[in-house]
Structures are given as C-alpha cells and as structure tokens.
Amino acid sequence: MGREVSESCIDSLLTEMVASYCNQFYSNTPELAARRIEAIGYQVGHQLSERYTMDRPRFTDHLEAIKFICKDFWSELFKKQIDNLKTNHRGTFVLQDNKFRWLSRISGDPSVDNGTQDPESKAAQAMSMYLYFPCGIIRGALSNLGIPCAVSADISSLPACEYNWILRPCCFSIKYAF
Amino acid sequence: MIVCVAVVGHQNNPLYIQSFTEADDALKLHHIVHCSLDVVDERVNNPKKSGLTLNETFLGLLYPTENYKVYGYLTNTKVKFILVTTDLDVRDADVRNFFRRFHAAYVDAVSNPFHVPGKRITSRTFAERVSNIVKSFGLSSAG
C-alpha cells in the first residue's frame, strides 16, 4: 500500500538541498554545509533502517549488518546492490557502487573554468557535496543497527573518462571501532 | 484482555507505555514492564538455554506473574515491545500477529520527520492505531 514518488522529484530535491546549503545557508563555510547535509542523511538513514529491517530476523554480527546494507538496503534505495565489498578485517569496509544512481544525471561542465584552479579538482569538490547525504544515510542506518561508525565517500578518477562522471565508480568507506 | 503495551528503546528508555485498564494500577504495570526488560536481556544473551533460535524477533512468553502474562519482541534496532495480558489461554499465533501489526505501527510513527529518536512517541495516530490493534486482539482470540 505504499505510495510512490517520481524519481525526478527525488533528484530535484537532492539537487536543491545541496544548492541551498552550499550557496545560501552556509555559503562561506562548505564544511558546515557538508555536516548539515550529512546530519539530514543520518536521520533519514536511522528511520529507513527501522522500516527495512522490519520483517527480518535479527543480525548476529557486524558483517551481516554490512551485508544487509549492501544488498537489501541498497536495493530499496537505489534499485541495485553494491557491486563490490572489500574489507581489511580490522574495522574498515569499502563499498563500491559502479553506477551511483543519484549522480547519474550530473554532468561535469568543462566550460566553467576561470583558470585559477584545476577544473578536475573543482568538479571533484562540487561532486563530493552530493555524496554527503548518502554517507549520512549509511551512518544513520548502521548506528541504528548498533554499529557506530564514520562513513566517507569519494569518486575515483580514471584518466580515460575525464568528464564522464557517470562511468566512475563511487566508493563509500565505513570505519568502525574494531 | 491486554492490559498494557510498552515500547522500550535500546538504552532501556521508555518510548511509549499505554495501559488499557480502568483500574488505577499504572505504576504496577510500569514495574512489570521494567522487570521484564531483564528477562529480555537474559533471553538474548543466552539463546541456548531458552531454546530460541539466535536471531528471532519474537521472544515469546517472558514470565508469568500471578495474574498476568508478559510477552516480548525485540527488533533489529534493539527496540523492545512488551505486551502484558490477563488472558489465560493466549495463542502464540495471535501474539505474533499482534506484534507484527504493532511493529508496522511503530515503524510508521518513527518515520515521522518530527519525531526525535530516543524521545517518547507523542503521535496521536500511533495511539489510535495501537488501541485498534489491542481491541482487535481481544476479538480474534475470543472468537
């Protein structure tokens, strides 16, 4: 009986959220904007994890909770699973999504370039603002499952596809106290 | 007849306690719910002794007192639901069904963006849904 929302609404909402926090509310302090966006994601992840763990048996250890995030949680949010999960067995997991849905419609614009900063890093900085929200979602979900952690994300750069952001894998790294 | 339902957070903080009796023994019911939290912890930490599978959400009958039976349910997010009833012959399936519907109502209440996690649930819609579930529990086990 769930109601549905069109995906373009979600895309617009996320774009506008990043734009308002970066350009209006905290225009001089991008770190604060990032923290606020991540805090919004934390609450959303907290509530979503309640809903998506409803009909499941309880998790026995941390690995099962991370696998739940990679498979069921990611499929509910992004209609696909995480493509690659790596761990160093000492409290760090790296989740790799090769085609992150919320970035799939963002284009890197090579024309906006005033020459003082490398366009690659400017674009990377702009892109990273869009990743704070999903980081917050993951952190909120894991905290609700009993695993306090720190989550960061980055988009790896491949020299071959410079401005083609769609093809770059997006890596979320989760660090928790081992 | 169900006399009391309670939702307790993962730090054993009460999120919602509602009693359904006319009598003025709310304090006694709070005390019963509080005592049952220890039993929940014991069941979760010693699965072999209680005969449960390790990862089931429904914990079953926690302990019977002189007039009441207390049932427990533990979600994945370490939130505990406690049900206190005076019925003598309660079917397991009925209680599981009750907890399933209660869990759905709880998830909807917590998804409210104005609800602060860790604080008490103040939603009237949640209170109404819970009283509907409690009423229909009585009917289904009587019929």
Side-chain angles (χ1 to χ4, degrees):
Chain A
M1 205 209 79
R3 289 180 291 185
E4 294 187 340
V5 173
S6 80
E7 193 168 349
S8 54
C9 284
I10 300 273
D11 280 343
S12 307
L13 177 66
L14 297 176
T15 311
E16 186 53 37
M17 174 174 71
V18 174
S20 324
Y21 274 93
C22 292
N23 304 334
Q24 269 181 272
F25 300 150
Y26 298 101
S27 49
N28 298 326
T29 49
E31 315 83 42
L32 279 183
R35 291 250 288 270
R36 277 305 284 137
I37 296 177
E38 208 259 354
I40 297 176
Y42 181 86
Q43 182 163 354
V44 172
H46 206 270
Q47 293 165 334
L48 286 180
S49 67
E50 285 282 359
R51 191 174 287 278
Y52 296 145
T53 56
M54 193 162 86
D55 292 318
R56 307 178 45 97
R58 287 201 304 278
F59 301 126
T60 43
D61 62 0
H62 287 181
L63 183 59
E64 284 214 11
I66 299 275
K67 288 201 311 205
F68 160 76
I69 299 278
C70 293
K71 294 189 188 162
D72 300 313
F73 195 76
W74 218 255
S75 324
E76 295 274 3
L77 280 178
F78 305 115
K79 301 199 182 83
K80 65 185 282 288
Q81 297 185 359
I82 285 279
D83 297 305
N84 200 351
L85 171 66
K86 291 184 269 231
T87 176
N88 70 352
H89 298 293
R90 282 174 195 280
T92 304
F93 286 92
V94 177
L95 280 56
Q96 183 175 319
D97 187 335
N98 290 336
K99 194 173 185 302
F100 190 55
R101 202 175 180 94
W102 287 346
L103 296 180
S104 59
R105 288 182 183 83
I106 296 182
S107 69
D109 188 357
S111 63
V112 180
D113 165 10
N114 57 11
T116 54
Q117 196 178 1
D118 174 27
E120 171 79 18
S121 65
K122 248 177 61 172
Q125 201 179 19
M127 288 295 261
S128 65
M129 292 310 279
Y130 289 92
L131 292 175
Y132 284 110
F133 188 62
C135 285
I137 291 184
I138 298 176
R139 189 169 72 91
L142 284 176
S143 305
N144 208 9
L145 296 173
I147 307 175
C149 57
V151 183
S152 58
D154 70 336
I155 302 193
S156 57
S157 50
L158 304 164
C161 49
E162 263 198 353
Y163 290 109
N164 201 347
W165 293 100
I166 302 176
L167 296 183
R168 300 196 191 200
C170 188
C171 293
F172 295 93
S173 94
I174 301 174
K175 293 187 178 56
Y176 66 94
F178 189 60
Chain B
M1 203 198 70
I2 294 185
V3 298
C4 178
V5 294
V7 179
V8 181
H10 73 281
Q11 284 158 338
N12 284 346
N13 47 326
L15 296 175
Y16 183 79
I17 294 191
Q18 180 67 48
S19 55
F20 297 97
T21 55
E22 307 301 329
D24 200 16
D25 53 1
L27 197 58
K28 185 166 82 160
L29 294 171
H30 283 217
H31 178 68
I32 292 179
V33 168
H34 194 246
C35 293
S36 62
L37 296 178
D38 282 333
V39 183
V40 170
D41 283 335
E42 191 192 294
R43 285 276 177 100
V44 168
N45 294 333
N46 300 325
K48 294 198 187 76
K49 287 186 193 158
S50 59
L52 274 183
T53 54
L54 182 55
N55 50 10
E56 228 191 279
T57 46
F58 177 63
L59 300 172
L61 181 64
L62 294 179
Y63 69 101
T65 64
E66 66 273 8
N67 299 328
Y68 305 115
K69 286 184 168 186
V70 182
Y71 289 89
Y73 182 99
L74 179 65
T75 69
N76 247 316
T77 53
K78 308 288 179 288
V79 172
K80 308 166 186 72
F81 301 151
I82 308 286
L83 168 72
V84 182
T85 176
T86 51
D87 277 332
L88 292 176
D89 53 347
V90 177
R91 279 184 306 206
D92 205 42
D94 284 341
V95 185
R96 282 177 193 264
N97 194 20
F98 172 89
F99 276 128
R100 199 173 40 82
R101 296 164 70 189
F102 192 77
H103 196 169
Y106 169 76
V107 162
D108 285 342
V110 166
S111 302
N112 183 351
F114 297 107
H115 171 256
V116 178
K119 300 278 179 191
R120 287 179 178 254
I121 299 177
T122 52
S123 153
R124 259 179 317 171
T125 316
F126 177 69
E128 279 169 21
R129 276 178 81 171
V130 167
S131 52
N132 284 342
I133 299 175
V134 165
K135 282 194 201 103
S136 65
F137 177 84
L139 288 175
S140 69
S141 59

